[in-house]
Structure formats: structure tokens, C-alpha cells
Amino acid sequence: MLGKLTGFDDTIVAVATAPGVGAIAVIRLSGGKAFDICNALFPSKDLSRQASHTLHFGSIVSEGRVIDEVVVSLFKGPRSYTGEDVIELSCHGSPYIQQQLIDATIKAGARLAKPGEFTQRAFLNGKLDLTQAESVADLIASNSAASHQTAMQQMRGGFSRELHTLREQLITFSALIELELDFSQEDVEFADRTRLYELVSSATSVLQHLIDSFRMGNVIKNGVNTAIVGKPNAGKSTLLNTLLNENRAIVSDIAGTTRDTIEEVLNIDGILFRLIDTAGIRESADTIESIGVQKTMEKIKEAGVVVYLFDVNELTATDIRNQIDAFEQDQVNYLLVGNKTDVTGEAAIRERFKDIPGILFISAKNHSHIQDLKDRLVHKVISGDINTEDTIITNARHHAALQEVLKSLQDVKHGMDNGLPGDLLALDIRRCLHYLGEITGEVTNEDRLDYIFSKFCIGK
């Protein structure tokens, strides 16, 4: 059926492990001729006569030449990842051996897989819906505990189940409303409007929660650009080194030492903060330093969070108020951090700035209150603890479609409030169903699928 629907009636092959030298590599084949192709290269035994989910050791021989000794893993469809016959060859990790095995399978009748084609076939064969398939790519790309757990939760179908339940309920109401149209002369109502009101109300609440979760999901998936800015000699490079617990940036007493941006990643409670140490903001006749200041201003505009670091011994409360006004005018998400409290003493500093709430006082040099700074950074981008068992939206495509579903549901409610006839209500419900189907893949087209799966790695 897959081949008739999509043209995927051939057998594909690709390296399923990361490129480069390793102890072992895995070559994956999927398709109707997977067993025939491997039988032609594996003279030890007839693989087609072996049980599914078994391992077999032997040599791969092509044109009379032994390429490598391998372990062959058999997965007969539909009990496989793609739903087709799948064979995996575990070989030695030499790139030369990997390429020789790929070439041998292609000569025997396979073709090289496109990015994401194995997972695309799994979707087309009903092994995964589209949200689960996309979560596979997120799982591979996960680089923190939070992003890993979020991807795992979606791959297990948590998001899909919520959407499926809503879709089934809307389909039932849509069918009943459209049935009313067949009996329009009798003026009967098959669809209980009170129950439809309740469904729309509860669905709206669920959808709004999912849509709101995208802000956190985006942070979990992509991290947060965090610019450390301030005047020269405020201690920005020292702070970066302290947060990273290594000497990443050059530190000196000479103002303007940092000329270009320095970027590093810091994992705080499962959130990736992309820390950007910037050039000090000041007027300068030095051409190179001026370019660095210009880059700093650009980073401020791009940042999810701006840490404004200032020397408490140099700036006054008036200076800070002026900076706050500038940030708020530009709608910058900022955090005020007063540095070098070890010079004057924290108590005296707090008294000087007591009329400005929200300042965190630290000593980057002495590592004082650095954990408080980390806690503030996390609080700036998320509210409360991350519960990765909840459904969290991390995909921009899902977020856009959910907004359309919510808009359509609001139209349904508005229509019922204004006594809209059943045929128009049915149109709004069908629009809801359309966008729900776009998320799960029940409504899609080949171009959209090609685009989605092209972003996967080859071999997955």
C-alpha cells in the first residue's frame, strides 16, 4: 500500500550512526527487497528463513571479496520501525568499510536514503503520527535533560492523545450537526448545544494551555540568548569566566579589553543559556572598539535576556534609572546586576541603591551570590518548575496550527451565541478538524512531508 500511495516501493539504505571513526557503525536497510539484497551479500545463511528480531554473525561478501565481518539484525515488517522489512548491519566503524558496505548494497539493488526517509516511511505506514515523527528529530537533537524528557513525552504520544480525544469529540458533533441538515424541514436538533458549549469551553482551556507552553518549549528546545552588557571594566568577562568556572575570556584592568563578542553555553537546571560576553558600551575613537560596541547593541536586540552588569563603585542610582528607562522603552527583558561589592561592602551598596528594586548584588571575582544569579536567570525565562511530564509545545508548526484551532473554536462559540445555523457551525468545526489534522498528519501533502523530513539526519 505504501508504494502505491507514495511511490516508495524501493529499498533504501543509509548509515544510521554518527559520521566518523568509531568502534562500530550501523548500516540500515528498509524496504521490500531488504532480505534479497542482504542474502546476496551474506552467504552464511538464508536470512529470509530466519526469525524476526534475531541476530546473525557472518561476513559481507561483494564480487568475491570479503568487506567485513558483521552482526545482522533482522526486523520483519510490520514489526519494525518503518513497518517494512528492516535489516541493520553492525560493522566495524571505519568510514572506508561503511562506504564499501553502502556501495555493495546499492549494487545489489538498494538506493541511498534521503534525510528522514526511514521515519517518513514509519509515518506513512502508521507506526507514528506526524507529531511523534517530528519528536524523533527533537530527541536526536536534545542537549539537556529537559529537552530530552520533552521529546520523549511527545514521542510516546502524550500530545497526540490530547489532540485525538478533542478531534473525536468534534467529529461526533460535526456529524450530528450535519445530520440535522438532512432533516431541516422537521426542525430537529441532534447535537446537544449545551454539551457542545461545554466541549468548546474545555477545549479552549486545553488549547490555550498548550499555546502558552510554547514559550517554555522554545526555551527548552533552543536555549536562551543571554547578553552580558555594561560599561567597560564592569567585570563582564570575569562574570562569564565565573559562570563557566573556567578562564574563557581575557580579563584585565584595561578598559575595552573585550573587542568582539564571546559566546559559550551554560546549562542551568536543564535550560541552555547561550552566554554572550560583549564589548563595553562607551563612546570610543578606536575604530575596532567602536565596531565591538556596535555588535553589543545588536546582541541586546537579539537577546532573550540581557544581564546589565555595572560596577557599584562607579555608577549612581540615577545612572541605573536612566538605563532602566532605556531598556523599558526598547522592551528589553533585562536583569540588573551590581558587581564588585567586595570593594566597598555589600551593606553600604544596598543602602545607596535601596530605592531601585530588583538589583542583584554580586562579586564575580569572589564568586559571591553567583547561584542567586543563576536562579534569577532561570526565573526570567520560565515560571515555576519545569514539569516535562506535561505536554509542552516545542514545534513552531504545531504552535501556529493550534492558534488556528483556537480561533476556529472561538468562531464556533460566537456562532452559537448568535444563533448561527447548523451548516455554518459545521464549517467552523470542520476548520478546527482541518488544523488538528495538519498537526498529526491526518491532513497533509507530499510537499509538506518532504519539507518536514528533509530536516532530519540521513539514516533516521
Side-chain angles (χ1 to χ4, degrees):
M1 178 63 75
L2 175 66
K4 292 179 182 177
L5 288 176
T6 66
F8 289 161
D9 56 356
D10 51 3
T11 298
I12 56 175
V13 64
V15 180
T17 43
V21 179
I24 63 169
V26 175
I27 310 297
R28 175 180 290 160
L29 296 96
S30 179
K33 296 181 180 179
F35 278 84
D36 292 339
I37 290 168
C38 288
N39 265 338
L41 303 171
F42 191 78
S44 302
K45 60 181 73 173
D46 184 352
L47 295 173
S48 63
R49 300 173 68 87
Q50 310 307 313
S52 181
H53 294 72
T54 56
L55 304 178
H56 306 272
F57 175 75
S59 297
I60 295 293
V61 181
S62 177
E63 299 177 344
R65 183 173 62 93
V66 175
I67 297 176
D68 194 18
E69 291 184 331
V70 301
V71 174
V72 181
S73 307
L74 307 180
F75 306 94
K76 294 184 178 181
R79 295 174 56 215
S80 70
Y81 178 69
T82 64
E84 306 172 320
D85 288 340
V86 172
I87 293 181
E88 294 181 351
L89 308 176
S90 298
C91 63
H92 291 95
S94 157
Y96 173 77
I97 292 174
Q98 295 175 45
Q99 190 59 52
Q100 289 295 302
L101 287 175
I102 291 287
D103 291 344
T105 59
I106 290 174
K107 287 177 184 177
R111 73 161 170 84
L112 199 60
K114 296 181 292 187
E117 192 169 355
F118 291 96
T119 304
Q120 186 172 2
R121 291 187 176 205
F123 163 69
L124 292 168
N125 278 322
K127 305 296 288 187
L128 305 166
D129 72 17
L130 199 53
T131 64
Q132 291 172 299
E134 288 171 297
S135 70
V136 171
D138 290 341
L139 186 63
I140 293 170
S142 63
N143 49 16
S144 69
S147 59
H148 170 262
Q149 283 298 107
T150 302
M152 284 296 295
Q153 202 272 350
Q154 290 204 10
M155 195 171 73
R156 290 170 179 161
F159 182 34
S160 302
R161 282 191 293 273
E162 291 192 50
L163 297 184
H164 180 74
T165 300
L166 174 58
R167 197 165 192 271
E168 288 297 310
Q169 292 172 319
L170 286 173
I171 286 173
T172 300
F173 274 105
S174 179
L176 291 174
I177 288 174
E178 291 186 21
L179 185 60
E180 292 176 0
L181 301 179
D182 295 334
F183 294 87
S184 56
Q185 300 301 320
E186 283 79 2
D187 193 28
V188 294
E189 281 192 0
F190 292 105
D192 186 334
R193 296 306 195 265
T194 301
R195 285 186 57 206
L196 184 55
Y197 258 113
E198 292 172 355
L199 172 61
V200 169
S201 177
S202 64
T204 298
S205 177
V206 170
L207 287 168
Q208 193 62 62
H209 175 74
L210 291 172
I211 290 168
D212 291 343
S213 75
F214 180 68
R215 179 174 176 268
M216 183 189 297
N218 196 42
V219 165
I220 291 172
K221 182 176 180 179
N222 300 314
V224 188
N225 286 338
T226 307
I228 304 174
V229 305
K231 292 186 176 298
N233 260 356
K236 299 182 293 299
S237 297
T238 301
L239 177 59
L240 177 69
N241 291 340
T242 300
L243 287 169
L244 297 174
N245 202 26
E246 63 174 283
N247 292 325
R248 175 62 180 86
I250 298 172
V251 177
S252 81
D253 294 328
I254 302 171
T257 299
T258 302
R259 299 296 186 95
D260 201 354
T261 57
I262 299 172
E263 301 188 17
E264 288 292 337
V265 176
L266 177 66
N267 188 324
I268 308 176
D269 296 340
I271 303 298
L272 295 182
F273 289 85
R274 305 183 188 283
L275 301 177
I276 308 165
D277 179 20
T278 62
I281 303 173
R282 68 171 179 177
E283 296 291 335
S284 175
D286 187 307
T287 303
I288 302 299
E289 187 178 356
S290 296
I291 294 173
V293 172
Q294 183 179 344
K295 284 190 175 183
T296 297
M297 304 311 293
E298 292 171 0
K299 293 297 181 183
I300 290 175
K301 294 177 182 177
E302 297 170 0
V305 178
V306 169
V307 176
Y308 183 73
L309 190 71
F310 65 95
D311 184 341
V312 293
N313 307 290
E314 295 290 335
L315 298 191
T316 66
T318 300
D319 295 326
I320 301 304
R321 288 193 192 93
N322 291 338
Q323 187 60 61
I324 290 173
D325 291 341
F327 281 151
E328 292 186 348
Q329 183 176 346
D330 293 335
Q331 297 181 319
V332 173
N333 185 24
Y334 64 91
L335 182 61
L336 298 175
V337 181
N339 190 28
K340 302 187 181 182
T341 56
D342 54 298
V343 176
T344 305
E346 193 172 322
I349 295 301
R350 289 184 182 278
E351 179 64 26
R352 278 177 48 205
F353 293 96
K354 65 181 180 180
D355 294 330
I356 304 178
I359 300 177
L360 174 64
F361 296 101
I362 69 167
S363 170
K365 180 180 177 181
N366 293 342
H367 295 221
S368 173
H369 298 299
I370 296 302
Q371 185 57 49
D372 293 338
L373 174 56
K374 291 180 178 180
D375 293 341
R376 291 260 191 118
L377 283 170
V378 172
H379 185 72
K380 267 289 177 184
V381 297
I382 62 171
S383 300
D385 295 329
I386 300 174
N387 185 359
T388 49
E389 295 304 314
D390 290 342
T391 300
I392 299 174
I393 303 303
T394 61
N395 187 302
R397 187 182 72 83
H398 300 169
H399 181 249
L402 285 171
Q403 289 179 310
E404 293 296 335
V405 175
L406 181 60
K407 193 184 304 180
S408 300
L409 277 180
Q410 291 168 341
D411 288 342
V412 172
K413 181 180 183 302
H414 184 263
M416 287 191 293
D417 289 340
N418 291 278
L420 214 62
D423 55 343
L424 296 180
L425 284 177
L427 282 175
D428 290 330
I429 292 176
R430 281 202 294 271
R431 197 163 74 249
C432 287
L433 294 172
H434 172 84
Y435 285 110
L436 286 171
E438 276 199 352
I439 297 172
T440 59
E442 289 162 286
V443 176
T444 191
N445 58 58
E446 195 166 336
D447 289 340
R448 182 179 288 119
L449 290 180
D450 286 344
Y451 172 74
I452 289 171
F453 288 104
S454 69
K455 294 184 287 185
F456 281 51
C457 58
I458 294 175
K460 195 61 181 178

